[in-house]
Structures are given as C-alpha cells and as structure tokens.
C-alpha cells in the first residue's frame, strides 16, 4: 500500500508505482495542454510567437525603457459632511464681464458648415481679450436650409440639461469604454437630489452599452447617470467630438454654476459637492485641473505624442510651430516672468517626493499655474466669465488644430494672461506627490479600445516568418497574426497585456 502526502509518494514507498504514476501524470498534462489548445484556438500560438520573437531578436532588442512610475490615489481632506455646506458669496476678485456666443453664421460662403464656425485669424486674436464681447464657442449653425453642424440632442434631454445647477458629466463615443457608474454609497442624498450626472453617448455606444446590460430605466437613468444620446456627431475624430462636453459644459448646461468633468476611464468615488468645496471654494479658484502625472513640459508632450503615434506627426508639428512663432518658449529659471515652469521642474518634484516619503507624510502640492501639461481627465470649474472664456479659447484651439488638448493648454493660458495683465484668471493646478492612506477622488481604468492596426511600428523584424498578433474580439479571445510587425508594438495595448497575464502559458 502506498502512502501519499501532498499528492506525491513518500520516498520510502517509491519504486515501480512511482514510475507508473509519474508516467500517468505526464500523459494527463499533455492531454490537458491539447484540450486547452483546442479550446482557445489561435491563442495557443501566442507561446510560440513569444518564444520565437525573444530568441530570434535577442540581439536586436532596443535598450530597455525605465519602468513606468506608478501612482496611487491621494488622501484629500474633504469635509466630513455636506449637511452644513454653504456656497461662498460671489467673490469680488473674479472678473465680471458679459460673454456672448456666435450662434449662426449669416455670411455667404462656399465652405461647408462647421460646428466650430469659420473663425478668422483676426477674430481669433480679438477673442483672447477679456471684455464684453461675442466669440466663437462651438454650436455654430448656418442659415436655414443648411444641415445641422452636429451634436444634436433630444428635446427631452435638452429640457433636463437646462435645469441643472451643478453638473457631473462624461462621455463615451465610438464604443471606446465601459459605463462606469459613480460609487453610490459615497454620494450624499443631497447630491443625488441636486446634482445632475449626465453621460453623453452616440448611438453606436448606446447599443453596445445596452448589450452589456446598461439599459436606462423608465426615467432615463442607468444608476445615477442620465443617458443623453447625441446624434449627428460634429467630427469624424471621436476624441475631438469628446472635447465638446469636456470644454463646453457652460454651453450644454446654460443654467449651471459648477461642473465636474470626468474622463470615461474614471469612476467618481467622492461626493461632487465636497469636490467643489475643496478644489474651488477652499482654494479660492474658478478652474481646477490636475497636473500631468509624468510630464511637465510641452516639448516633452510633443515628443511623446509623436513617439506613440497619438496623432499625425505633420499636424502636431504644424500646431507646435505655430505656437512657437506666437511666443511659446521653454522654461527659463532665470526669467521671473515665466508663469508655467516646465522641463526643469522634474528634479524639484523628485526631491520633494523623496523628502516627503522619508518622513512618511501626506503631502499634496497645489501647483497654482506652475505646470505646463495637464492630465486633463478631471476638471472642476465654476462657470464664471473668465472660466467660460478660457474653456471657449481652449476648445477653439482643439477645433482648429489637433485633438491632443495637452498641446494647446499652456499656449491658451499664457496668451490669455499676456493679453489681460489686469484681469486675473484663478487657475488651480494640483499635483499629488505622496500617498499614505488612499482616499481617491476617482478610480482610474484603461480605455478598452486599442486601435492596434493603426499603430506604426518603430522597428520591424527582418524575418518573413516573424509574426505579431492583435486581438479582434476581446470577449471571445480571438487573435489574428500579421507579418512584419514587432510583438513589442502590440504589447503597448493594455488588453493584449491582460490576455498574456491571464493566460501566461499560451
């Protein structure tokens, strides 16, 4: 009789029985591997692709890039309750002027109607002056008889949006993300009754969300989100279309006083009124936006966008050269007039982070206009004249140039300050350097769309037999292999990396 421990024979009982059991175990493992290969089809070839790529290209591997710095949510000293929260009286330090918007272009032109209108260079220059005026700010229509310029919503949704005073908004266009509902247990009853949570989607995304089980109830809600279906999108570029609700919340919600923008990759994890109190009221600001977690220089952002092929390189160069010709310069520590230090700020941030970590402190640095590149996925703003003007100007830059709004943020802000030296814009840029006890404002996710076929490889493998794979159906784990594209290019996709993580032996 054999004695077992942890499914293995004890040494004193090994012999012929041990040899037989070992042989049976090997056969069973081969059978399981065979069944797994049949189950996942082409995915089983990923193991061969990985081995072949690593062996044949070991000498051609580029130098390893440093590990991406990991960031954690910060502890934000919010108020314990919104029960006794009072909105501060109208702050006299904020600029007051009347701002109107061009609704229709009456002049005859052979140009097709555009959502952003046909702004001339002179009109663009004049719009930067903060005084009583009418400016371009999207939603420009043509005379009767011309088609809509886009971003049309139902009359019922428009009526609901006109009643909102405080708004939390986000969008999903082109089925680019899942619907992430705000964490209901951290939202106060006051906010649930008085704050509008609006999610803008196109028809394609609505069908996908409905298939995933996110079907609006009889009142039009999915959880706390009020779903607004946008028809006739103003741009073919879905990222540029997403800038409409991101920048123009004061146009979409004309009665609103405050708004919070969340990118679709974020889930709201704090009460909206506590967010407004902390980032605006307590800071005495009218516009709050998070600083980029890794880059602080526009020059670095340009290179990163081109390196990762985020947009057409020629379009990026055209925009960047225009900004340089209009006065955008690198940071110079010896120039006291520079309001947005950039490239040399890294060493300072690193030094402060080390010191703070050493003493185990919670330290949040508020960079009041001291960083060039914003992260841009989280914006809190009061709908003051100066805030609305800045939002319109920033949108006009995105409308005219690329959809990469990080490239135009510093230029727009600096030009606005330069042309209005006596009118201050109270901008709050915040950067978290260290975390001890996590209490996140929002939870971060990756976008689910990778658009892998559009990636331009930085280096190809000189082997006709080499293969690279990309996922065509995330839910069914289908993989297609294509020649002459390095596997490391597909490894940039979070979905692809997740598959290799879930199935490391494939």
């Amino acid at each position: 009789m054999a004695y077992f421990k942890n499914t293995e024979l004890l040494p004193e009982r090994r012999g012929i029985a041990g040899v037989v059991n070992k042989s049976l175990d090997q056969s069973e493992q081969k059978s399981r591997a065979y069944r797994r290969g049949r189950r996942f089809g082409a995915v089983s070839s990923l193991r061969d692709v990985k081995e072949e790529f690593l062996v044949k290209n070991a000498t051609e591997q580029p130098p390893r890039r440093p590990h991406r710095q990991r960031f954690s949510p910060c502890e934000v000293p919010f108020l314990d309750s919104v029960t006794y929260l009072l909105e501060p009286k109208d702050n006299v330090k904020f600029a007051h002027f009347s701002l109107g918007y061009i609704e229709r272009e009456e002049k005859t032109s052979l140009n097709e109607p555009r959502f952003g209108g046909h702004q001339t260079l002179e009109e663009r220059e004049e719009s930067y002056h903060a005084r009583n005026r009418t400016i371009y700010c999207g939603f420009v229509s043509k005379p009767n008889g011309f088609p809509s310029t886009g971003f049309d919503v139902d009359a019922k949704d428009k009526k609901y949006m006109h009643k909102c005073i405080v708004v939390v908004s986000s969008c999903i266009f082109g089925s680019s993300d899942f619907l992430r509902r705000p964490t209901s247990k951290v939202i106060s009853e006051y906010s649930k009754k008085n704050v509008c949570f609006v999610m803008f989607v196109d028809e394609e995304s609505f069908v996908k969300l409905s298939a995933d089980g996110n079907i609006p109830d009889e009142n039009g809600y999915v959880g706390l989100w009020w779903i607004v279906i946008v028809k006739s999108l103003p741009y073919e570029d879905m990222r540029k279309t997403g800038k409409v609700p991101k920048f123009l919340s004061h146009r979409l919600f004309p009665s609103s006083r405050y708004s919070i923008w969340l990118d679709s990759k974020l889930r709201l994890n704090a009460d909206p009124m506590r967010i407004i109190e902390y980032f605006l009221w307590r800071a005495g600001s009218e516009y709050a936006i998070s600083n980029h977690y890794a880059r602080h220089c526009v020059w670095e952002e340009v290179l990163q966008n081109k390196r990762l092929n985020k947009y057409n390189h020629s379009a990026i160069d055209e925009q960047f050269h225009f900004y340089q010709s209009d006065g955008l310069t690198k940071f110079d520590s010896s120039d006291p007039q520079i309001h947005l230090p950039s490239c040399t700020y890294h060493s300072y941030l690193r030094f402060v982070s080390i010191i703070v970590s050493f003493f185990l402190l919670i330290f949040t640095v508020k960079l009041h206009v001291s960083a060039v590149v914003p992260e841009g996925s989280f914006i809190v703003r009061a709908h003051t004249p100066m805030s609305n003007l800045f939002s319109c100007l920033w949108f006009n830059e995105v409308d005219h140039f690329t959809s990469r709004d990080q490239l135009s943020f510093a230029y727009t802000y600096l030009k606005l300050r330069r042309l209005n030296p006596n009118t201050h814009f109270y901008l709050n840029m915040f950067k978290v350097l260290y975390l001890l006890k996590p209490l996140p404002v929002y939870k971060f996710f990756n976008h689910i769309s990778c658009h892998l076929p559009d990636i331009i490889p930085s280096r190809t493998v000189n082997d006709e037999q080499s293969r690279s794979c990309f996922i065509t159906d995330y839910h069914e784990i289908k993989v297609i292999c294509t020649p002459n594209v390095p596997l490391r290019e597909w490894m940039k996709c979070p979905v692809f990396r997740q598959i290799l993580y879930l199935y490391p032996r494939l």
Side-chain angles (χ1 to χ4, degrees):
M1 180 177 178
Y3 296 89
F4 290 86
K5 183 177 181 180
N6 294 334
T7 70
E8 294 184 358
L9 288 171
L10 295 175
E12 61 270 22
R13 296 297 179 179
R14 289 176 181 168
I16 297 178
V19 174
V20 172
N21 282 324
K22 183 177 181 181
S23 176
L24 291 175
D25 290 341
Q26 292 177 350
S27 300
E28 184 177 0
Q29 290 177 1
K30 293 180 180 179
S31 177
R32 286 199 300 267
Y34 172 74
R35 291 196 301 269
R36 185 174 67 235
R38 293 185 59 189
R39 178 180 179 185
F40 293 102
V43 178
S44 62
S45 64
L46 282 175
R47 183 178 183 180
D48 298 333
V49 173
K50 292 167 60 179
E51 293 177 353
E52 179 181 1
F53 177 81
L54 294 176
V55 172
K56 291 187 177 183
N57 301 278
T59 60
E60 300 181 9
Q61 287 289 339
R64 288 187 177 182
R65 288 178 294 181
H67 291 289
R68 184 174 181 178
Q69 187 177 356
R70 294 183 178 274
F71 300 88
S72 301
C74 63
E75 181 176 0
V76 181
F78 288 133
L79 294 180
D80 295 332
S81 173
V82 299
T83 304
Y84 302 104
L85 186 63
L86 295 176
E87 179 182 6
K89 296 182 179 180
D90 191 17
N91 200 324
V92 294
K93 71 177 183 180
F94 294 155
H96 294 272
F97 54 91
S98 177
L99 196 63
Y101 310 107
I102 297 176
E103 304 283 351
R104 185 187 301 270
E105 286 183 328
E106 298 292 348
K107 53 187 177 182
T108 59
S109 175
L110 298 178
N111 297 326
E112 295 182 359
R114 291 187 70 255
F115 180 81
H118 299 86
Q119 187 183 38
T120 65
L121 187 61
E122 292 76 16
E123 291 171 332
R124 174 183 179 275
E125 195 71 18
E126 283 295 320
S127 65
Y128 274 86
H129 294 276
R131 56 174 180 261
N132 298 340
R133 62 172 54 257
T134 301
I135 63 172
Y136 282 89
C137 193
F139 299 97
V140 179
S141 62
K142 281 287 187 176
N144 295 332
F146 284 85
S148 169
T149 55
F151 216 88
D152 301 327
V153 299
D154 187 76
K156 177 183 177 182
D157 295 325
K158 188 175 295 186
K159 181 179 179 181
Y160 172 84
M161 293 158 57
H162 277 239
K163 295 180 180 179
C164 296
I165 305 300
V166 180
V167 183
V168 176
S169 62
S170 185
C171 72
I172 301 175
F173 294 129
S175 299
S176 59
D177 264 307
F178 300 112
L179 180 66
R180 298 183 173 95
R181 308 184 187 187
T183 306
S184 182
K185 63 181 181 180
V186 301
I187 310 296
S188 65
E189 290 299 323
Y190 176 86
S191 294
K192 291 179 181 179
K193 294 179 181 179
N194 296 278
V195 177
C196 297
F197 297 84
V198 180
M199 173 66 70
F200 296 93
V201 300
D202 60 339
E203 295 176 293
E204 175 189 351
S205 300
F206 181 75
V207 172
K208 176 64 169 57
L209 295 178
S210 299
D212 292 340
N214 296 303
I215 302 176
D217 58 21
E218 61 276 7
N219 296 321
Y221 290 94
V222 177
L224 293 177
W225 288 120
W226 174 280
I227 305 298
V228 175
I229 301 177
V230 180
K231 300 179 181 179
S232 181
L233 301 182
Y235 305 102
E236 295 182 2
D237 184 354
M238 294 299 173
R239 286 191 178 92
K240 185 169 288 191
T241 300
K243 308 308 177 186
V244 177
K246 179 176 181 177
F247 295 145
L248 305 185
S249 57
H250 60 290
R251 300 293 316 275
L252 291 167
F253 306 92
S255 301
S256 60
R257 293 177 55 84
Y258 301 96
S259 64
I260 299 174
W261 164 260
L262 287 175
D263 192 88
S264 56
K265 64 187 176 184
L266 306 181
R267 173 181 290 140
L268 186 64
N269 204 26
D271 189 276
M273 297 307 302
R274 298 167 71 188
I275 293 175
I276 293 173
E277 188 277 333
Y278 177 78
F279 288 102
L280 296 184
W281 298 350
R282 196 184 307 181
S285 303
E286 51 190 328
Y287 200 105
I289 186 170
S290 56
N291 179 37
H292 198 279
Y293 50 84
R295 291 181 295 281
H296 308 276
C297 177
V298 181
W299 270 251
E300 294 176 356
E301 184 68 20
V302 169
L303 294 177
Q304 182 76 351
N305 275 267
K306 295 169 70 173
R307 186 179 69 85
L308 299 180
N309 297 293
K310 293 289 188 178
Y311 209 87
N312 180 274
H313 292 197
S314 299
I316 293 177
D317 290 336
E318 177 186 355
Q319 179 179 6
F320 192 48
H321 292 160
F322 180 87
Y323 289 167
Q324 287 180 283
S325 66
D326 198 24
L328 184 65
T329 59
K330 277 189 176 182
F331 171 71
D332 181 5
S333 58
S334 63
D335 185 0
Q337 299 301 321
I338 297 296
H339 300 285
L340 297 176
S342 54
C343 300
T344 61
Y345 207 75
H346 287 287
S347 59
Y348 172 75
L349 289 176
R350 224 175 272 119
F351 172 77
V352 174
S353 182
I354 293 173
I355 296 299
V356 172
S357 301
F358 178 78
F359 290 101
L360 297 179
L361 297 175
I362 302 171
F363 189 72
T364 302
V365 175
K366 292 183 180 179
L367 302 179
H368 299 278
V369 303
S370 59
V372 172
V373 181
E375 207 285 320
S377 60
F378 176 64
I379 301 176
V380 187
R381 48 177 296 217
H383 291 180
T384 61
M386 204 66 178
S387 172
N388 295 342
L389 175 60
F390 175 75
S391 297
C392 291
L393 297 176
W394 195 6
F395 173 79
N396 290 340
E397 295 301 316
V398 173
D399 173 70
H400 185 75
F401 292 107
T402 70
S403 60
R404 308 303 300 176
D405 51 34
Q406 295 95 334
L407 302 179
S408 53
F409 172 82
Y411 169 83
T412 305
Y413 174 77
L414 288 173
K415 188 178 180 68
L416 181 64
R417 288 198 61 167
R418 185 174 72 250
L419 297 181
N420 301 276
N422 299 323
T423 305
H424 195 69
F425 176 38
Y426 292 89
L427 173 66
N428 175 17
M429 294 194 72
F430 48 93
K431 169 81 174 182
V432 177
L433 296 182
Y434 184 72
L435 162 73
L436 188 60
K437 299 178 180 179
L439 181 60
V441 176
Y442 50 77
K443 190 172 182 179
F444 179 88
F445 298 86
N446 285 318
H447 291 297
I448 63 172
S449 61
C450 300
H451 306 292
L452 291 178
D454 296 331
I455 293 179
I456 302 174
S458 58
R459 181 181 298 181
T460 57
V461 180
N462 297 323
D463 187 349
E464 295 181 357
Q465 302 300 324
S466 63
R467 298 176 298 171
S468 292
C469 302
F470 61 90
I471 296 167
T472 58
D473 192 325
Y474 174 73
H475 297 286
E476 297 185 12
I477 322 294
K478 292 181 180 178
V479 173
I480 291 180
C481 293
T482 58
N484 299 327
V485 181
L487 181 62
R488 61 178 172 271
E489 297 297 334
W490 307 129
M491 289 295 292
K492 297 176 182 178
C493 174
V495 178
F496 190 85
R497 292 196 302 269
Q498 185 176 2
I499 294 298
L500 297 185
Y501 174 79
L502 295 175
Y503 305 98
R505 296 183 179 182
L506 298 180

